[in-house]
Amino acid sequence: MIATKLPKVGTTIFSVMSQLALEHKAVNLGQGFPDFEPPQGLRDALNRAMNEGRNQYAPMHGIATLREQIALKTERLYGRKLNVDTDITLTSGATEAIFAAIAATVRAGEEVIVFDPAYDCYEPAIELQGARAVHISLTVPAFAIDWQRVRDAVTPKTRMIMINTPHNPSGAVLSAADLEELATIVRDTGIVVLSDEVYEHIVYDGAQHESVLRHPELAERSIVISSFGKTYHCTGWKVGYAVAPAALSAEFRKVHQYLTFCTFHPAQVAFAEFMASTPQHYLELPAFYQAKRDRFRALLAPSRFKLLDVPGGYFQLVDYSAIRDEDDLAFSKWLVEHGGVAAIPLTPFYEGAPGTRLLRLCFAKSDATMESAAERLCQL
């Protein structure tokens, strides 16, 4: 008998709901991926890179031209000047970057503060280091951080605080005041901040994404994670990156080089080319997804679901308590089987059942998909 190192881990809720969607021919608004293609120019650049022979190992930390484009974007958007050689590491998706960041900095017996609902890859990465995740629930329905609770949770064992903005699953975004609160808490400590910012370009209603990289004090002690898959509609390419000051990057790379060593070379070439030629893509992403958000909300307006606000990201939380009074896991299964739509319950994002009546629906979908799903949801 094998003694598992992850006794609480089974098949992810995303795989479970996607499989149920297939079995019941349901519209899948569960797993967070677009059902439309990446930009044609990016796909053409990928084909050129492969046909021109860029098919072998890339440098461990990523090709220079892509790191240069990331540095240009970071300075342009966040005012943070990066050292191209020491501060940027390309990874095989944001999930690898998150794992490498935790493995590189967190030791056995230490603690990592996470905010529930938290993305499901956080805690397993912490537990595999022999460390403990300390869960703090966000306030509902705003999904804001109670900073006093964070102060109370910090102990001499606290090694890391993980934040996620825009937040998955709620879409909540942190403000400049939030970052100042965080800076006050970690000042004069050895705490590392891990900031998951994979939805950085998907912020709505004219708001500015408050990256940790905008805050000079926090940037000096943080590892910031970003995702090309989310920004360029190509989640299956699995390319992300980590930005951190040189000392943290050096530790991060020690893990990365033995985890994947390097990341899909032709995609790196394609991203570098496309970022240089088409910077308007990520600049126009807020408007692109805001139109989808507003369209989806209008389609759901006649339904019995209560729609929570969506400041960022591409997920809509809905309250189903007017339809059925049962927990979210049971309702999600019922919805697939009887409503023909797959959604994600929030319970798997929490340490314990939250007792809320909320589901996550993905609107990174074509109009046809959103309309088909909304038609079914409005019949409930």
Side-chain angles (χ1 to χ4, degrees):
M1 178 67 71
I2 296 174
T4 178
K5 295 180 73 175
L6 294 171
K8 294 185 286 185
V9 172
T11 304
T12 72
I13 190 64
F14 308 106
S15 297
V16 169
M17 296 311 299
S18 291
Q19 182 59 40
L20 283 174
L22 285 173
E23 292 173 7
H24 294 279
K25 297 182 173 56
V27 180
N28 190 356
L29 300 186
Q31 202 163 357
F33 61 84
D35 68 348
F36 44 86
E37 294 304 317
Q40 185 63 55
L42 179 61
R43 286 179 278 157
D44 291 344
L46 179 69
N47 284 328
R48 278 195 300 276
M50 291 188 289
N51 290 332
E52 291 171 2
R54 306 295 288 275
N55 299 304
Q56 308 310 322
Y57 295 127
M60 179 270 287
H61 51 301
I63 65 171
T65 51
L66 183 52
R67 287 182 281 114
E68 288 163 2
Q69 287 300 318
I70 292 169
L72 287 170
K73 184 189 82 165
T74 301
E75 186 171 13
R76 183 184 302 131
L77 294 183
Y78 308 134
R80 178 75 175 175
K81 189 171 181 62
L82 301 177
N83 183 309
V84 171
D85 294 322
T86 62
D87 298 355
I88 304 164
T89 308
L90 275 296
T91 62
S92 296
T95 305
E96 188 237 318
I98 290 166
F99 185 94
I102 294 169
T105 56
V106 178
R107 295 173 175 80
E110 294 182 328
E111 297 173 347
V112 178
I113 293 175
V114 300
F115 297 98
D116 288 353
Y119 191 63
D120 67 348
C121 78
Y122 294 176
E123 186 164 21
I126 295 164
E127 291 184 340
L128 285 171
Q129 314 317 314
R132 184 173 77 91
V134 176
H135 295 262
I136 298 176
S137 290
L138 299 173
T139 63
V140 177
F143 290 90
I145 296 174
D146 180 338
W147 291 106
Q148 186 56 51
R149 290 191 64 191
V150 180
R151 290 185 182 89
D152 294 342
V154 171
T155 74
K157 293 183 177 181
T158 305
R159 176 57 173 159
M160 176 180 282
I161 297 176
M162 297 183 67
I163 60 174
N164 175 205
T165 183
H167 181 254
N168 177 12
S170 74
V173 298
L174 295 183
S175 65
D178 285 316
L179 295 188
E180 192 55 44
E181 289 274 12
L182 177 60
T184 300
I185 291 169
V186 300
R187 190 173 293 143
D188 300 322
T189 73
I191 297 171
V192 174
V193 173
L194 178 53
S195 187
D196 178 353
E197 301 183 18
V198 299
Y199 300 100
E200 62 181 315
H201 300 300
I202 311 177
V203 178
Y204 303 128
D205 304 312
Q208 172 179 271
H209 170 56
E210 294 297 340
S211 173
V212 164
L213 296 170
R214 287 189 193 279
H215 194 291
E217 182 183 357
L218 285 177
E220 287 299 326
R221 65 188 318 131
S222 297
I223 302 172
V224 179
I225 309 299
S226 298
S227 165
F228 284 104
K230 301 298 190 299
T231 300
Y232 294 96
H233 321 313
C234 52
T235 60
W237 293 15
K238 292 297 292 180
V239 182
Y241 62 93
V243 171
L248 274 176
S249 282
E251 296 305 308
F252 178 92
R253 290 174 179 180
K254 289 177 184 179
V255 176
H256 166 69
Q257 70 179 344
Y258 294 117
L259 191 56
T260 61
F261 180 74
C262 66
T263 294
F264 185 37
H265 195 167
Q268 292 192 50
V269 177
F271 285 129
E273 178 184 321
F274 195 72
M275 288 180 75
S277 67
T278 319
Q280 65 268 27
H281 174 86
Y282 59 79
L283 296 174
E284 294 170 355
L285 210 58
F288 173 82
Y289 272 120
Q290 183 163 334
K292 289 190 175 294
R293 179 198 69 171
D294 294 348
R295 171 71 172 150
F296 191 53
R297 290 173 66 86
L299 288 167
L300 290 180
S303 76
R304 298 168 67 196
F305 291 97
K306 178 183 177 183
L307 309 183
L308 276 64
D309 291 339
V310 185
Y314 52 48
F315 301 110
Q316 172 70 61
L317 289 189
V318 296
D319 185 322
Y320 62 84
S321 55
I323 299 171
R324 288 174 73 87
D325 183 21
E326 59 187 1
D327 68 62
D328 57 357
L329 294 168
F331 183 79
S332 297
K333 186 176 180 182
W334 179 87
L335 185 62
V336 174
E337 296 174 352
H338 299 279
V341 176
I344 297 296
L346 263 60
T347 291
F349 293 81
Y350 281 85
E351 182 180 29
T356 54
R357 298 290 186 260
L358 299 174
L359 294 182
R360 191 195 81 173
L361 302 173
C362 178
F363 57 81
K365 305 296 178 184
S366 66
D367 284 352
T369 299
M370 288 193 288
E371 289 163 7
S372 177
E375 182 180 3
R376 300 179 185 202
L377 293 170
C378 287
Q379 292 174 357
L380 300 173

